[in-house]
Amino acid sequence: MASRALYSPRHPVLKKRDDFEDVLEERRRSSDLRYALKCYTPTLYKGLVPCKVSMLKSIILQSDHLQYVIKQVSSESGDSTECVAEEASLILDEMAHRMELSTVRFFVFTLSKAFKRLFRSVCVNEEGIQRLQQVVQEHPVVLLPSHRSYMDFLMMSYLLYMFDLPLPVIAAGMDFMSMKFIGEMLRKSGAFFIRRSFGGDKLYWAVFSEYVKTLLRNGYAPIEFFLEGTRSRTCKSLTPKTGLFNIVMEPFFKGELFDVNLVPVSISYERVLEESLYARELLGVPKPKESTSGLLKARRVLSEDYGSMHVYFGNPVSVRSLAEGKIKRSQYNLLPRYIPQRPSVDTHEFLNDAAFRLVRIQEENMVLKPWVLIATLLLQNPDGLELSSLTEHADWLRHLALAFGAFLDWPDHEVSSEVVSCSLALHRHLLSVSAGHVQLSVADALQVESTPEEAVFHRAVVVLSCASYRNQILHVFLRPALLALAMQSANSNRKDDVYNCFNFLRNMFSNEFILCPGDSVQDFEEACYLLMKRGVLQVLEHEIVMSASGHSTLAFLCSVLDPFLQGYQVVCRCLCEETNENLTEKKFIPAVRSFALKLILAGRLKCYEALSSDLQKNALAALLRLKAVGKVKVEDQVTLKVNKIAVNSLEDMMGGKIPTQKPILARL
């Protein structure tokens, strides 16, 4: 089966997606032990025999590339080549996986028990599995799953074992290696461990890149890593990282491989295991260190119901097709293959564009449950809704989402009131339901906590937990919402004026959402098309006019982006009013959080999402990119230099919903 290149239509259509099958259904009917010990005979790339660990190590250490870097480091440091080679060997020992089928079987047995306790169903598109079974024989494969939970990589290996596919070699952070017993078991299940940052460590980078490229060139196992680099604490897709992505592309660029297949995988959770933990991290509570004791304490999650999980294996993307007409591979022939080369500007742009489009494919194949619609409505109505009204609104929103191309898993055979009630029951820990009135949970926080600050914190945990579900559907509404907000801001029907506002907002939020570089016009046309198709707008040659029935849809779409708009305005106001000349980058998040907390306690801000460190970091990244804020390194600290005129101007352009300081002081 031929893999395909990335394709992004100007006007989205309702594309057909594969059907799903619940893989836990059979597990509930048969022996987990017999399943774990089943005959496992995966079809390998070109019928290769799996490589022994000792042979793989020898191939890497003796490679021309690593030998070249060893000599280079030896010359620069004055150490002998033998000493540097020994250091390279130790790095490789620390890093490399040591796959053992017996350990994999133990994990499969244990995970079968755990998954049956945690999830009502784990649904997989078997057509995607069949495509993968085909392409894994033809060219080396790179698996690119979305990353919302620690469960992601465990589920990936579990499913590949289930369908007799080669087990992947998985890039994992060093945090896991420090876990006694568990770290070594992960290594024996295919994990290889890399440092979070290498700095300028030339030798470490050479060992790492040669390790990955050797696995890929020889097709010993699929490589698996997360394009986003880390788990998304907000359940929004993160801006992709291109370091490891460049490494897996390089063997093709240098003509060492005819092709590589990239397989985007979308993993969706009806209820995320780390939901509350993520919210607390975003509010400044330190992330618990990965440890075996922590894992054992977390066993209580096994008594919870996490609903269903969906795993969608996307169409394989051919690197050869992707690079056609965009990458001149001849540039790599100017030097011997073993000499490291920095990516050219054109190559870097290509990698960045491809990574964004792959993450967009992940988003489009995310299965959305009814709760994401309900969470969206409850966040927009903090005082709550009557159950009948909530059901009516959810049904309206379902049809809007489907019209915009959402991959929505809404049971057609059930009445809407039953679907909504089931979703509320699964997420009841976030809700307060009384006499038919539904709102986000507030009562416990107000009754238990002794200080206003603690009450705000607990309210914010609920809001950010709920927002993590709303965020799962943002990619569906994003472009129409940017257009709705642009129409509101432009105060003009002229198409050029609306587009200029759209482009400004898109640029402002490009660190917040997955917006492919250079696609501003295409995104604008897509938004116009979707809203025209829905009967919300009329797009004339020089004007965009709202239809008589379009007000409610445009108001909803503006509300979708309102928390981000308010959050960015809070950051701007903080930088202009509260900061001194010596605000360090390290103190930026605490300063903004403290400023937002004061506004909330004073009743001047209702948006609890402004407390999110993720939103604050993205806002700062936007201000840095737009040159409204600069960085100056003084000794060991990075200081932020704020251009207050530029920051004020950007805040005004976003609408300035936070009142200025003087009128507030006058009122007090």
Side-chain angles (χ1 to χ4, degrees), residues 37-73:
L37 297 175
K38 77 181 179 96
C39 180
Y40 173 67
T41 52
T43 305
L44 301 174
Y45 169 58
K46 293 184 177 177
L48 283 176
V49 176
C51 180
K52 291 184 178 178
V53 172
S54 57
M55 185 185 294
L56 182 64
K57 181 178 179 180
S58 177
I59 292 170
I60 294 165
L61 292 176
Q62 292 172 22
S63 67
D64 291 340
H65 172 224
L66 192 52
Q67 287 297 315
Y68 176 85
V69 174
I70 285 171
K71 289 174 185 172
Q72 200 177 39
V73 171

Side-chain angles (χ1 to χ4, degrees), residues 105-116:
R105 292 188 188 280
F106 172 78
F107 260 125
V108 168
F109 174 76
T110 307
L111 290 174
S112 292
K113 299 288 186 193
F115 291 155
K116 287 189 290 186

Side-chain angles (χ1 to χ4, degrees), residues 26 82 218 395 494 666:
E26 186 183 341
E82 290 79 8
N218 295 284
D395 205 42
R494 289 187 67 247

Side-chain angles (χ1 to χ4, degrees), residues 109-254:
F109 174 76
T110 307
L111 290 174
S112 292
K113 299 288 186 193
F115 291 155
K116 287 189 290 186
R117 292 278 298 274
L118 290 168
F119 302 110
R120 298 175 187 177
S121 61
V122 172
C123 301
V124 181
N125 63 322
E126 290 209 10
E127 288 176 58
I129 291 288
Q130 289 163 11
R131 290 191 291 265
L132 183 56
Q133 287 168 334
Q134 180 66 35
V135 299
V136 83
Q137 302 174 57
E138 298 168 356
H139 302 290
V141 165
V142 177
L143 297 166
L144 301 169
S146 57
H147 200 17
R148 304 290 179 269
S149 170
Y150 278 141
M151 278 289 158
D152 297 333
F153 67 89
L154 296 172
M155 182 57 76
M156 285 290 293
S157 294
Y158 182 82
L159 291 174
L160 295 186
Y161 177 87
M162 172 179 280
F163 290 103
D164 260 357
L165 281 155
L167 291 168
V169 175
I170 310 156
M174 293 293 286
D175 315 346
F176 290 101
M177 199 178 81
S178 61
M179 296 173 70
K180 292 177 184 176
F181 180 62
I182 297 294
E184 196 56 32
M185 287 190 69
L186 290 172
R187 189 192 295 277
K188 290 179 179 179
S189 300
F192 68 93
F193 299 101
I194 52 176
R195 298 172 190 167
R196 290 292 179 190
S197 61
F198 312 160
D201 193 332
K202 193 179 291 185
L203 185 64
Y204 191 92
W205 180 261
V207 173
F208 167 56
S209 62
E210 190 58 32
Y211 175 74
V212 172
K213 286 186 282 190
T214 299
L215 287 168
L216 197 67
R217 279 192 300 257
N218 295 284
Y220 291 134
I223 305 286
E224 180 186 318
F225 67 93
F226 302 107
L227 263 176
E228 298 163 281
T230 186
R231 287 176 300 159
S232 170
R233 270 68 175 170
T234 61
C235 289
K236 267 193 300 101
S237 294
L238 305 177
T239 302
K241 308 289 189 293
T242 56
L244 185 45
F245 192 48
N246 176 50
I247 289 174
V248 299
M249 298 287 236
E250 201 174 278
F252 169 77
F253 293 158
K254 291 188 173 182

Side-chain angles (χ1 to χ4, degrees), residues 412 421 439:
D412 292 326
S421 294
Q439 66 182 120

Side-chain angles (χ1 to χ4, degrees), residues 483 495 524-525 527-529 531-532 536-546:
L483 178 55
K495 199 172 182 179
F524 181 73
E525 289 181 353
C528 289
Y529 170 77
L531 290 173
M532 272 176 36
V536 175
L537 301 177
Q538 285 182 299
V539 181
L540 309 174
E541 187 177 355
H542 298 295
E543 285 190 325
I544 297 178
V545 183
M546 182 178 73

Side-chain angles (χ1 to χ4, degrees), residues 271-285:
R271 184 181 165 200
V272 179
L273 274 76
E274 299 97 329
E275 160 195 292
S276 174
L277 189 68
Y278 287 165
R280 284 173 163 78
E281 280 186 49
L282 293 170
L283 293 168
V285 178

Side-chain angles (χ1 to χ4, degrees), residues 281-501:
E281 280 186 49
L282 293 170
L283 293 168
V285 178
K287 170 189 157 189
K289 189 178 178 183
E290 284 83 0
S291 66
T292 306
S293 61
L295 182 66
L296 294 172
K297 287 175 187 173
R299 285 178 301 171
R300 66 178 181 276
V301 302
L302 293 172
S303 61
E304 294 278 336
D305 179 2
Y306 290 91
S308 62
M309 178 180 180
H310 286 77
V311 184
Y312 192 96
F313 288 83
N315 285 304
V317 176
S318 159
V319 170
R320 190 174 191 84
S321 300
L322 197 58
E324 191 174 355
K326 297 177 183 175
I327 294 291
K328 293 178 181 176
R329 295 204 287 167
S330 57
Q331 65 184 297
Y332 289 91
N333 297 333
L334 300 175
L335 289 172
R337 285 173 176 167
Y338 61 82
I339 296 179
Q341 297 182 53
R342 285 187 176 275
S344 65
V345 173
D346 287 347
T347 301
H348 183 74
E349 285 180 2
F350 166 75
L351 289 167
N352 197 45
D353 182 67
F356 267 87
R357 294 184 190 283
L358 285 160
V359 174
R360 180 121 193 244
I361 290 172
Q362 288 177 347
E363 285 185 332
E364 289 172 349
N365 289 332
M366 287 282 188
V367 176
L368 305 169
K369 301 294 285 186
W371 171 246
V372 304
L373 305 178
I374 297 166
T376 303
L377 293 167
L378 290 174
L379 285 166
Q380 290 189 8
N381 295 275
D383 293 329
L385 292 165
E386 294 302 311
L387 182 56
S388 57
S389 178
L390 178 61
T391 302
E392 184 182 335
H393 281 77
D395 205 42
W396 173 83
L397 192 50
R398 166 171 69 121
H399 289 99
L400 182 67
L402 289 171
F404 286 178
F407 196 176
L408 190 61
D409 181 30
W410 184 290
D412 292 326
H413 59 280
E414 292 182 26
V415 294
S416 295
S417 58
E418 185 62 30
V419 173
V420 170
S421 294
C422 287
S423 291
L424 295 178
L426 183 66
H427 297 275
R428 58 187 175 276
H429 57 290
L430 295 175
L431 302 169
S432 174
V433 183
S434 176
H437 189 80
V438 184
Q439 66 182 120
L440 295 183
S441 181
V442 289
D444 290 345
L446 294 174
Q447 288 171 9
V448 174
E449 304 308 333
S450 55
T451 68
E453 289 81 3
E454 287 172 335
V456 168
F457 175 84
H458 284 274
R459 173 65 174 172
V461 167
V462 172
V463 169
L464 292 179
S465 296
C466 197
S468 71
Y469 294 99
R470 186 265 334 267
N471 290 344
Q472 293 177 28
I473 200 170
L474 282 178
H475 67 276
V476 174
F477 297 128
L478 176 60
R479 287 151 189 84
L482 286 171
L483 178 55
L485 206 53
M487 290 177 67
Q488 186 183 76
S489 303
N491 291 319
S492 164
N493 288 338
R494 289 187 67 247
K495 199 172 182 179
D496 287 349
D497 292 339
V498 174
Y499 173 73
N500 288 336
C501 282

